[in-house]
């Protein structure tokens, strides 16, 4: 799996660097100096990584000095839960755009606790109220951060 | 200080925005009071930002991302207390060293800083990138991926209006991208989203199945770690101070360079593999560097009137509001005020670290809270933190895109640190490269300090290979 991800990243960087280098050719030298200095070696490095994956010897995975994903779950369970997590994350963004932060925050917390956490009604309601009170008290009352009302609410007037 | 604590913890406002908002309040203050007010807030924000980085893997500030790699890994192993203890104690030591540097270094540093022109500053950026790219993964393949990630960061830093010719580069015809990619949404996505996904996949608390009672323990052990690795802590604090002194590099660079140096302190490749999985040295390095850079950054600001970062430029504005002119006068006529800056940094850090230690047990207990209660709360904080960077939904889109990039990088075993450093250094490096070429053409490559820095960069790249060769030779000698 990590080889496929690595190949995908390498190809994406090749496309990005290639596009960047070609676009830069049309610019004045002041603007194209750095894109060319970075874009060309970046394209070559990405090509080297892609070729290494395709033609190189398959060895053990060498971990980066970075966070590692957990391997406790079976691959299919991990894939399903990853898709669920991604759906909640993107869903929250859609909720924010449609309803605005002030409504999207309690809706997300309530829905997540009820559907994903399988918590009881009372706990879910109290927890959601507490998070909303914290959100409203800190970000709206104290810090006066400007949160727009959301596209749907604006459309409804 | 409470403002700094909240801000660091909840990643809400850009630090520079808050500092700018606070400027009007100093009009009626005496200079000592005014700088205690501004600098007291500014010098501790990285300390409190470390808390969310360690506990949730969400960087409270752009300057506290490096500590996630090992700090959050320790929290997941049930060592949140030790990680926080180490981070707080090392940041205090770093702040004290930075303050001491401010007090002592002004006469020494002046000639050094003045010898650094654009070519040297460009090479310094390249050394920093080589440092982290070569040390963040194992072997030739790891180094290739490190440089790829660093190159990608430099490439992404070019997004936006080019400062020299005004060309809109890689903006995809959107106005939002004209100003370039904001660091906070990128960092939050790159680090927090993969953590959230992993938390959902595991279906447990952050600390997994570690008994709740054990998690808060170990803060004292973390403090002791600072003394066990005192040489590393001091070296990283000095790196932070030096980066702080150097104009344009800033705190985000200091922590990554310190992390790279901490990785380099591993004696064997096997020992280096422990970094990223919860090695306390990966907490001590960035912790010490982040706060020591404040003292360092004040040196050129106070002594030469040359601010090295946006926040220092705002602080310089504070000097002018109070009728003070930074420069030689600050070392003669206004020397007591200069020393009050030193004491402000020292006291603000002591008070903040003390306050954090009092709250430590409560904070670390959060890592035992079930994941399904934390995920929505972290998502809310992540999205609000991202949105408030520019008050635009596009900030959240950037967070989601970089969340996906971060996830695939983790999945593929690519280091994320070089990407961040490339993104931070890109604009600075481009500016210095342009000035170097425009002013000296190719002759800038032959300047003595440039050659020394080039040799250091090559040495840094070759060092892991040398280390592996030495380990092999030792093994063969034993066999």
């Amino acid at each position: 799996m990590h080889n496929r991800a690595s190949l995908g990243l390498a190809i994406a960087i090749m496309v990005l660097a290639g596009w960047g280098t070609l676009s830069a050719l049309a610019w004045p030298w002041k603007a194209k100096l750095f894109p060319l200095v970075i874009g060309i070696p970046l394209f070559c490095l990405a090509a080297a990584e892609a070729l290494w994956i395709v033609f190189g010897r398959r060895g053990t995975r060498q971990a980066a000095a970075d966070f590692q994903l957990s391997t406790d779950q079976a691959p299919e369970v991990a894939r399903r839960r990853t898709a669920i997590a991604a759906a909640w994350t993107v869903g929250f963004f859609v909720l924010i755009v449609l309803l605005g932060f002030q409504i999207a925050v309690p809706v997300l917390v309530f829905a997540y606790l009820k559907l994903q956490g399988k918590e009881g009604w009372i706990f879910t309601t109290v927890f959601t109220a507490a998070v909303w009170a914290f959100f409203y008290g800190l970000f709206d009352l104290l810090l006066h951060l400007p949160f727009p009302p959301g596209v749907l609410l604006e459309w409804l007037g | 200080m409470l403002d700094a604590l909240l801000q660091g913890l909840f990643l809400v406002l850009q630090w520079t925005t808050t500092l700018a908002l606070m400027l009007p309040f100093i009009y009626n203050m005496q200079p000592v009071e005014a700088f205690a007010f501004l600098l007291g807030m500014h010098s501790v924000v990285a300390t409190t930002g470390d808390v969310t980085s360690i506990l949730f893997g969400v960087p409270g500030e752009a300057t506290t991302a490096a500590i996630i790699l090992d700090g959050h890994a320790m929290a997941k192993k049930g060592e949140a207390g030790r990680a926080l203890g180490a981070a707080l104690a090392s940041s205090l030591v770093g702040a004290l060293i930075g303050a001491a540097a401010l007090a002592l270094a002004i006469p020494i540093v002046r000639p050094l800083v003045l010898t650094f022109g654009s070519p040297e500053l460009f090479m310094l950026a390249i050394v920093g990138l080589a440092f982290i790219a070569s040390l963040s993964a194992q072997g030739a393949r790891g180094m290739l991926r490190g440089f790829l990630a660093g190159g990608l960061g430099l490439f992404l830093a070019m997004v936006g209006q080019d400062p020299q010719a005004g060309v809109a580069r890689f903006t995809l015809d959107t106005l939002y991208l004209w100003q370039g990619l904001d660091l906070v949404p990128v960092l939050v996505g790159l680090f927090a989203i993969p953590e959230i996904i992993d938390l959902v996949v595991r279906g447990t608390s952050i600390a997994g199945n570690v008994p709740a009672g054990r998690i808060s323990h170990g803060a004292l052990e973390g403090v002791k770690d600072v003394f066990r690795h005192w040489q590393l802590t001091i070296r990283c604090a000095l790196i932070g101070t030096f980066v702080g002194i150097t104009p344009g590099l800033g705190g985000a660079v200091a922590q990554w360079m310190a992390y790279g140096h901490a990785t380099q302190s591993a004696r064997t490749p096997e020992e280096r593999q422990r970094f990223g999985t919860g090695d306390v040295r990966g907490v001590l390095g960035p912790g010490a560097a982040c706060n020591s850079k404040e003292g360092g950054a004040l040196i050129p600001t106070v002594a030469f009137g040359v601010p090295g970062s946006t926040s220092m430029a705002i602080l310089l504005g504070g000097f002018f509001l109070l009728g003070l002119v930074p420069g030689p006068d600050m070392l003669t006529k206004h020397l007591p005020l200069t020393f009050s800056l030193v004491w402000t940094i020292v006291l603000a850090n002591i008070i903040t670290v003390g306050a954090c230690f009092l709250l430590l047990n409560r904070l670390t207990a959060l890592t035992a809270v079930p994941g399904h209660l934390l995920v929505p709360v972290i998502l809310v904080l992540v999205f609000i933190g991202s949105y408030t960077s520019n008050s635009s939904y596009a900030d959240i889109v950037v967070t989601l895109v970089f969340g996906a990039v971060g996830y695939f990088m983790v999945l593929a075993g690519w280091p994320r640190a070089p990407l961040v450093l490339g993104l931070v250094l890109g604009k600075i490096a481009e500016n210095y490269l342009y000035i170097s070429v425009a002013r000296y053409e190719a002759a800038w490559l032959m300047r003595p300090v440039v050659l020394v820095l080039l040799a250091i960069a090559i040495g840094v790249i070759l060092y892991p290979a040398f280390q592996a060769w030495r380990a092999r030779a030792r093994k063969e000698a034993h066999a």
Side-chain angles (χ1 to χ4, degrees), chain B residues 1-5 15 19 32-48 291 294 298 315 340-352:
Chain B
M1 190 128 37
L2 183 67
D3 179 44
L5 193 75
W15 169 242
L19 201 58
V32 174
E33 289 170 356
F35 286 108
F37 179 66
L38 293 176
L39 200 58
M41 283 191 291
H42 179 63
S43 61
V44 297
V45 77
T47 311
T48 50
N291 275 14
E294 295 309 331
L298 273 170
L315 213 61
S340 81
L341 301 179
V342 176
W343 283 111
T344 300
I345 293 176
V346 172
L347 287 176
N349 275 280
I350 290 174
I351 293 168
T352 306

Side-chain angles (χ1 to χ4, degrees), chain A residues 2 6 20 27 30-31 35 45 49 53 61-62 65-67 70 73 81 93 96 119 135 139 145 148, chain B residues 12 69 76 136 138 141 145 158 162 169-170 198 201-202 276 372 383-384 387 410-411 413-414 416 434:
Chain A
H2 72 271
S6 196
W27 298 335
K30 286 177 181 177
L45 286 174
E49 170 69 13
I53 295 165
R61 183 187 174 177
Q62 286 184 320
D66 203 339
F67 155 68
S70 314
Q73 306 293 337
R81 289 186 181 176
F93 171 61
I96 290 168
E119 291 287 351
F135 163 81
F139 300 122
L145 293 178
Chain B
V12 180
L69 300 182
K76 289 202 306 203
S136 50
Q138 294 282 309
R141 184 78 178 276
R145 289 171 172 180
M158 289 185 273
D162 137 64
R169 297 185 306 198
F170 317 126
D198 195 54
V201 169
R202 282 189 294 143
H372 69 267
F383 277 36
I384 290 175
Y387 175 80
V410 171
L411 191 66
W414 288 30
R416 291 170 295 176
Y434 169 71

Side-chain angles (χ1 to χ4, degrees), chain A residues 131-144:
Chain A
V131 172
W132 187 82
F134 170 77
F135 163 81
Y136 184 72
L138 182 65
F139 300 122
D140 205 339
L141 287 183
L142 196 65
L143 295 172
H144 301 292

Side-chain angles (χ1 to χ4, degrees), chain B residues 4 8 59 64 69 82 87 96 139 161 169 182 264 317 334 347 352 355 363 396:
Chain B
T64 61
L69 300 182
R82 185 179 171 199
L96 297 181
Q161 197 176 22
R169 297 185 306 198
D182 197 296
Q264 208 173 29
H334 301 301
L347 287 176
T352 306
L363 290 171
I396 305 178

Side-chain angles (χ1 to χ4, degrees), chain B residues 176 182-190 386 389-390 395 398-399 402:
Chain B
Y176 172 81
D182 197 296
L183 199 57
V184 172
V186 172
L187 279 182
V188 167
L190 207 57
S386 166
S389 300
N390 299 291
D395 288 326
V398 170
T399 295
F402 279 89

